[in-house]
Amino acid sequence: MIYPIVKYGDPVLEQPAETVTEFDTPELHKLVEDMFESMYAAHGVGLAAPQIGIGRRISVIDPSAGEDHSQRLVLINPEVIKAEGGQNEEEGCLSLPGFREQVKRAKRVTVRARNVRGESFEITGEGLLARALLHETDHLKGRLFFSHVSPLKRDLIRRKVRKLAKAGEWG
Ligand code: NI
């Protein structure tokens, strides 16, 4: 099932998501599959459950955008346990379509998470994968990428979104 992507302005995106406590259930397997499907349909490389209106600590990443299933990552209850170096690249978000900003992130990141069966694992990523790991982990804390840009730029984005919403072109 393809869910519509929730856009900035919906409170679910700015609330910390709830920790998952039950694993390996048909419902969880289905949700994770639906998240991949919804992400591919939206042409994204990462998706967090709050972005489909579900406030649970689950995110999926596929740097290949559906080209190579071996790159699929499911991160449940992820925690960043190591972050090193720096990178400054443009970043966007499916919940803020049309907006891209330079965002400073760590260059190399290790995340500890659980898979859909509840098994704990660690994943280390560099470059784009490090960025995706941080971006998706942020989502589960209720943080959007623009919390990493200057207050001035953030206000500009907020004002533009408000204008679009008024014109009925947002949401
Ligand atoms: Ni995002």
Side-chain angles (χ1 to χ4, degrees):
M1 172 189 167
I2 296 172
Y3 286 85
I5 306 294
V6 169
K7 296 216 180 98
Y8 168 65
D10 189 314
V12 72
L13 291 174
E14 294 180 280
Q15 289 158 359
E18 281 179 29
T19 298
V20 174
T21 54
E22 268 191 82
F23 295 88
D24 213 17
T25 61
E27 183 265 341
L28 186 62
H29 281 275
K30 171 85 166 83
L31 177 57
V32 165
E33 278 314 304
D34 287 348
M35 285 178 67
F36 276 111
E37 215 181 305
S38 305
M39 177 179 80
Y40 295 139
H43 306 288
V45 294
L47 185 78
Q51 292 183 278
I52 54 167
I54 295 171
R56 295 165 70 189
R57 288 176 58 206
I58 306 167
S59 58
V60 297
I61 293 174
D62 181 355
S64 80
E67 295 292 313
D68 174 7
H69 276 206
S70 71
Q71 293 191 35
R72 279 175 166 225
L73 267 176
V74 177
L75 304 166
I76 303 181
N77 303 340
E79 301 278 358
V80 176
I81 57 170
K82 202 168 171 192
E84 302 166 298
Q87 56 168 318
N88 193 15
E89 299 288 340
E90 225 180 47
E91 198 167 313
C93 178
L94 292 175
S95 295
L96 274 159
F99 295 95
R100 294 187 72 81
E101 292 291 339
Q102 291 285 128
V103 179
K104 278 191 190 136
R105 297 279 194 185
K107 188 174 187 173
R108 191 179 155 88
V109 171
T110 302
V111 166
R112 182 181 294 147
R114 289 186 187 277
N115 64 20
V116 79
R117 291 180 301 278
E119 297 154 348
S120 181
F121 68 97
E122 286 179 16
I123 169 101
T124 298
E126 276 189 52
L128 179 65
L129 180 56
R131 181 169 292 280
L133 289 167
L134 291 167
H135 182 113
E136 299 313 323
T137 306
D138 265 1
H139 265 301
L140 304 179
K141 295 178 192 157
R143 289 188 83 179
L144 296 166
F145 78 89
F146 71 7
S147 65
H148 298 281
V149 305
S150 71
L152 203 70
K153 277 188 182 160
R154 192 156 55 239
D155 276 350
L156 199 65
I157 295 174
R158 284 206 181 107
R159 259 183 283 146
K160 282 184 184 165
V161 168
R162 234 174 281 144
K163 232 187 228 174
L164 287 169
K166 245 187 206 167
E169 290 163 18
W170 191 260

